[in-house]
Amino acid sequence: MSANSTNKKIIVLISGNGSNLQALIDSCKNNQITGADIVQVISSKPNVYGLERAQKAQIPTHVHSLKEYKAAGKTRKDFDHDLADHIQKLKPDLIVLAGWMLILGPDFVSKFEGKLINLHPSLPGDIIGAHAIDRAYEEAKAGKRTETGIMVHYVIAEVDEGKPIASRKVPILENDSLEALEERIHRAEHELLPEATRMVLEGTAPSFK
Ligand SMILES: Nc1nc2c(c(=O)[nH]1)N[C@@H](CN(C=O)c1ccc(C(=O)N[C@@H](CCC(=O)O)C(=O)O)cc1)CN2
Ligand SMILES: NCC(=O)N[C@@H]1O[C@H](COP(=O)([O-])[O-])[C@@H](O)[C@H]1O
């Protein structure tokens, strides 16, 4: 899929499977998202299936590995600084965190505020941080909740506290296995993320501030 030079440029950051990346790839291909191209996929880990998805779609990939930075005696700030430099050179209109599993420092976030969005498997103000699906599942099994949800939000320094762009409730059924809940959540994410991405690109999303 060759990028059109007049189209808006999306960069997608991943750390694993990339099923939400695939939803974005498919949405650009089927014109749910128009006038935009994914110009690069950046992974925080090598050899993840999301990189294969990008390569199959002929989208350039780049690995920015925290493990390699640590092995070289470099800091999290070095990691963030170099990632920001790399991204700025590509001049994206939008950066989508689609399963990017690293907290980004305030210096990084401040360089991209308003065009940095994140997909998170929890409702606004509910579960913060990694492993949100597991935590919701455990709370449901303890009788503490019967639903969870997903959201796409602007990224700010405070993790998962940026202004929501779109969100959706997801029920947790009494006899759910963790796998059944994960599948229900991912199905909902594959619809919500392209829709939220389209809204930001078209200017119909809630404003950043
Ligand atoms: N400054 C921000 N950075 C990131 C945000 C954000 O809202 N603000 N969103 C996250 C994505 N995310 C939840 O949506 C998230 C991912 C990972 C973590 C986390 O604790 N990561 C640890 C490593 C965890 C692990 O390796 O299992 C870490 O970074 O040290 C919290 C929230 C992306 N970044
Ligand atoms: N806190 C961030 C977080 O938990 N993100 C979650 O990682 C998964 C990535 O799946 P994918 O690699 O198949 O798109 C998604 O469920 C996304 O919400």
Side-chain angles (χ1 to χ4, degrees):
M1 184 190 321
S2 59
N4 177 321
S5 60
T6 60
N7 279 357
K8 292 192 175 180
K9 297 195 281 187
I10 305 169
I11 293 177
V12 183
L13 273 58
I14 64 169
S15 295
N17 177 36
S19 71
N20 284 282
L21 163 66
Q22 190 64 59
L24 289 172
I25 291 170
D26 296 344
S27 296
C28 290
K29 200 169 182 179
N30 70 23
N31 291 322
Q32 181 187 349
I33 296 173
T34 56
D37 297 302
I38 300 170
V39 297
Q40 192 167 98
V41 171
I42 300 173
S43 177
S44 65
K45 293 180 179 179
N47 310 316
V48 294
Y49 189 54
L51 290 170
E52 286 187 43
R53 295 179 191 267
Q55 287 149 10
K56 282 175 186 166
Q58 298 176 304
I59 297 170
T61 59
H62 174 73
V63 175
H64 196 71
S65 165
L66 181 59
K67 188 175 179 182
E68 286 182 15
Y69 269 71
K70 288 182 173 176
K74 296 180 181 178
T75 67
R76 223 34 209 264
K77 268 184 176 277
D78 297 328
F79 175 87
D80 281 4
H81 177 273
D82 294 350
L83 179 61
D85 267 3
H86 176 88
I87 289 172
Q88 284 177 317
K89 289 187 178 99
L90 295 168
K91 296 182 170 50
D93 297 285
L94 183 62
I95 303 148
V96 183
L97 306 183
W100 174 264
M101 296 307 289
L102 294 175
I103 297 171
L104 295 162
D107 291 346
F108 179 99
V109 171
S110 65
K111 291 172 183 171
F112 303 107
E113 280 190 345
K115 59 179 180 180
L116 180 61
I117 66 175
N118 175 57
L119 170 68
H120 181 57
S122 173
L123 291 173
D126 192 5
I127 300 174
I128 302 286
H131 318 300
I133 300 174
D134 298 77
R135 289 154 60 188
Y137 181 76
E138 290 309 318
E139 289 180 8
K141 289 303 170 190
K144 296 178 181 174
R145 66 167 68 228
T146 58
E147 70 177 24
T148 183
I150 58 173
M151 69 168 165
V152 180
H153 63 94
Y154 291 106
V155 174
I156 61 174
E158 293 77 15
V159 174
D160 297 335
E161 294 187 24
K163 186 173 181 181
I165 295 162
S167 64
R168 186 184 296 184
K169 291 180 181 178
V170 177
I172 306 174
L173 307 182
E174 196 170 342
N175 61 348
D176 264 345
S177 63
L178 175 58
E179 292 69 25
L181 177 59
E182 285 173 334
E183 188 181 334
R184 189 176 306 121
I185 284 177
H186 293 326
R187 263 203 312 275
E189 290 181 324
H190 299 161
E191 293 177 1
L192 193 77
L193 182 58
E195 181 57 19
T197 300
R198 183 187 62 76
M199 289 165 65
V200 174
L201 290 170
E202 290 182 351
T204 55
S207 61
F208 167 59
K209 288 284 189 192

